[in-house]
Amino acid sequence: MNGKLRNSPVTYALGMFAMMVPSQAFGAYYSYYYVEKLGLALGLATLARTIYLIWDAANQPLFGYLSDRTRTRWGRRKPWIYAAMPLFMAFFVMVFAVPEGWRGTSLFVWLLVALVLYEAAATVLWVNYGALFPELFRGDADRAKASAIQQGFQMVAILIGSALAPVLFAALGFGKMALVFAGVFAVFMFVCARSVREREEALAEPPPPFLESFRATLQNKPFWVFNVANYFAQTVNGLLGAMIPFYAKYALGIPESQVSVLMASVFFSVVPLVAVWYRIVRAFGAAAAWRAALAVYGLSVIPLWFASDLAGGIAAGIVAGFGLAGFLVTPAVLTGQIIDRDFEQTGRRREGIYTAVAGFITRSSGLIAAVAFWAAGLAFGYVSGDNPGPNPEGTFRFLISAVPLGLLAISFLISLLFRMELKTGSGSGQNGLTGERKWKNF
């Protein structure tokens, strides 16, 4: 690998692009595929999702701990990434390749098994990829830049996974769509992994003891406040992506062929707005920018309630994109600061376990989304695509606007409890993004 590309923010960001293309297609369309297209009852879909999240709770910290303990001549994270790549591809395709004629209980069993297998492979990838970020990029200025580049690539991936998916499954079917996205993942993830060289000093450290690793996260108050706040905000990310196909059909009344345009309005607008939030981080600091992003994100979902056609949906989607961009850029910088603090106090780098526990907290937010979907279905009478009930429009306006607004209000209020001050010392960089740190808890 060319020396200029090794550990480059651009080649590292290719990993985000690679994983987000299939992940976004999964998050946005698997519920639509099983509930609306295949007729799986919403209650069974929610049960499968709940079991999948319980499994996620068990394996996230375990895979993070195992990653931190790994010592090979190729590094700690890369062997796990290479091993998980073919499994991730196979299980992603499995989600969207239901055998012809499967309905009812057999369809539920297929979904449950596919979710559990897919989630395990995805967890290995996300934990190890995320653990590389604070190791490869040191200092808040470098992290803010790397995060902005990473989120720019993520937005392009989300756009492809969201907007191109309807075109592909309309032309090829859901199974072949999954094959195309699995191929995209393989190419770009391989380039990313090849470009990474892990730091030798991290490999020289002794493996952290099991109980010590978990005790460090349990006792870290800023870590928990930060991630609990993100828990509610992350729910909104998943909810918006999953509800847009339903919202387009029932609230906006547009055909399935135009869903891509609506998806693009939300996610394409985020790409240039990432640069705006990067400047906000540099000017005001990561914590202030993070809180501002949560507040803006909450206000930005309100227009989605009032849109009534494609044009209105596009305008509302662009507004929502500004808040989403801020939430995507700011957390990575704060996560790096929290991990640095732990290293300063203990002399150990535990990117894997911190990334895994944070991933469990935020990814388990899907449980709120699943319960919200189920509860709204009960309240408004929506059961499935075969039985949408008397007011499907109200169901999905509520889910795409009112629920996100409430969740983001909770997230913002919790963020006010977060205390982590940076005190600029001698040799500090621009805007106090480097230099002596003063950490303040409660």
Side-chain angles (χ1 to χ4, degrees):
M1 178 64 67
N2 186 302
K4 292 183 179 180
L5 298 179
R6 182 173 293 123
N7 293 350
S8 159
V10 174
T11 52
Y12 177 76
L14 289 178
M16 175 64 77
F17 176 84
M19 292 187 291
M20 277 307 303
V21 169
S23 296
Q24 180 62 24
F26 167 80
Y29 293 106
Y30 95 86
S31 291
Y32 184 71
Y33 175 52
Y34 281 87
V35 175
E36 187 70 22
K37 292 294 188 180
L38 300 181
L40 182 66
L42 184 57
L44 289 176
T46 302
L47 177 60
R49 175 81 172 179
T50 302
I51 295 171
Y52 144 76
L53 290 170
I54 292 171
W55 164 234
D56 192 27
N59 68 31
Q60 281 265 358
L62 175 62
F63 286 137
Y65 172 73
L66 292 175
S67 178
D68 280 344
R69 288 190 61 85
T70 299
R71 299 291 185 273
T72 74
R73 63 189 181 94
W74 300 283
R76 293 185 293 175
R77 321 299 180 187
K78 288 176 66 173
W80 288 97
I81 290 173
Y82 281 127
M85 284 174 60
L87 298 176
F88 178 81
M89 295 166 64
F91 299 143
F92 172 70
V93 172
M94 181 181 175
V95 171
F96 291 102
V98 177
E100 191 72 27
W102 285 40
R103 294 291 185 271
T105 302
S106 60
L107 181 61
F108 165 75
V109 171
W110 181 276
L111 172 61
L112 178 59
V113 172
L115 285 180
V116 168
L117 294 175
Y118 169 80
E119 192 281 331
T123 295
V124 173
L125 282 171
W126 283 108
V127 164
N128 286 278
Y129 175 79
L132 287 169
F133 183 90
E135 178 180 332
L136 299 183
F137 309 108
R138 301 289 175 86
D140 296 344
D142 286 344
R143 285 173 179 163
K145 179 181 178 181
S147 178
I149 293 172
Q150 186 185 43
Q151 300 312 323
F153 275 82
Q154 180 178 0
M155 285 304 99
V156 175
I158 288 175
L159 181 62
I160 292 172
S162 301
L164 185 58
V167 177
L168 290 176
F169 66 63
L172 306 174
F174 282 89
K176 290 182 179 178
M177 174 207 72
L179 284 171
V180 172
F181 285 160
V184 171
F185 160 81
V187 171
F188 288 97
M189 196 71 221
F190 180 76
V191 174
C192 169
R194 283 276 297 162
S195 73
V196 168
R197 174 173 290 179
E198 299 181 44
R199 294 178 182 268
E200 294 183 2
E201 61 266 29
L203 293 173
E205 295 176 6
F210 182 83
L211 292 179
E212 179 187 325
S213 293
F214 284 95
R215 191 181 300 117
T217 63
L218 292 173
Q219 295 176 346
N220 193 324
K221 293 180 180 179
F223 170 82
W224 281 97
V225 173
F226 172 67
N227 281 287
V228 170
N230 281 348
Y231 174 87
F232 294 97
Q234 190 67 39
T235 303
V236 175
N237 287 4
L239 197 60
L240 287 180
M243 291 303 107
I244 284 178
F246 298 93
Y247 174 73
K249 178 178 179 178
Y250 293 112
L252 303 184
I254 63 176
E256 197 172 78
S257 59
Q258 294 181 359
V259 173
S260 296
V261 179
L262 183 62
M263 285 282 195
S265 70
V266 178
F267 298 114
F268 184 75
S269 64
V270 174
V271 177
L273 294 172
V274 161
V276 175
W277 282 101
Y278 166 66
R279 294 184 178 277
I280 292 173
V281 172
R282 293 294 303 268
F284 300 102
W290 171 60
R291 290 192 187 97
L294 294 174
V296 171
Y297 198 7
L299 296 174
S300 72
V301 300
I302 296 175
L304 291 167
W305 180 276
F306 300 100
S308 58
D309 54 19
L310 179 60
I314 290 173
I318 292 172
V319 173
F322 182 61
L324 175 60
F327 178 67
L328 292 173
V329 169
T330 52
V333 183
L334 283 174
T335 297
Q337 293 175 358
I338 290 168
I339 292 173
D340 285 348
R341 181 207 187 201
D342 179 70
F343 174 70
E344 291 168 4
Q345 291 183 333
T346 67
R348 295 183 183 274
R349 298 209 67 90
R350 287 185 277 243
E351 293 93 345
I353 191 64
Y354 272 103
T355 302
V357 175
F360 159 64
I361 295 170
T362 56
R363 286 176 64 183
S364 64
S365 64
L367 181 59
I368 294 182
V371 171
F373 194 2
W374 173 74
L378 285 179
F380 289 90
Y382 179 90
V383 177
S384 69
D386 297 333
N387 182 14
N391 188 14
E393 177 183 348
T395 305
F396 295 105
R397 286 192 186 278
F398 181 76
L399 283 167
I400 207 166
S401 184
V403 173
L405 176 61
L407 292 172
L408 286 162
I410 295 171
S411 183
F412 176 76
L413 291 174
I414 294 173
S415 77
L416 298 177
L417 301 175
F418 183 81
R419 296 290 183 270
M420 191 178 68
E421 297 177 354
L422 298 182
K423 181 179 179 181
T424 304
S426 60
S428 63
Q430 184 181 0
N431 298 317
L433 287 175
T434 57
E436 181 188 357
R437 288 178 174 164
K438 179 181 179 183
W439 302 91
K440 182 179 178 182
N441 292 329
F442 301 96

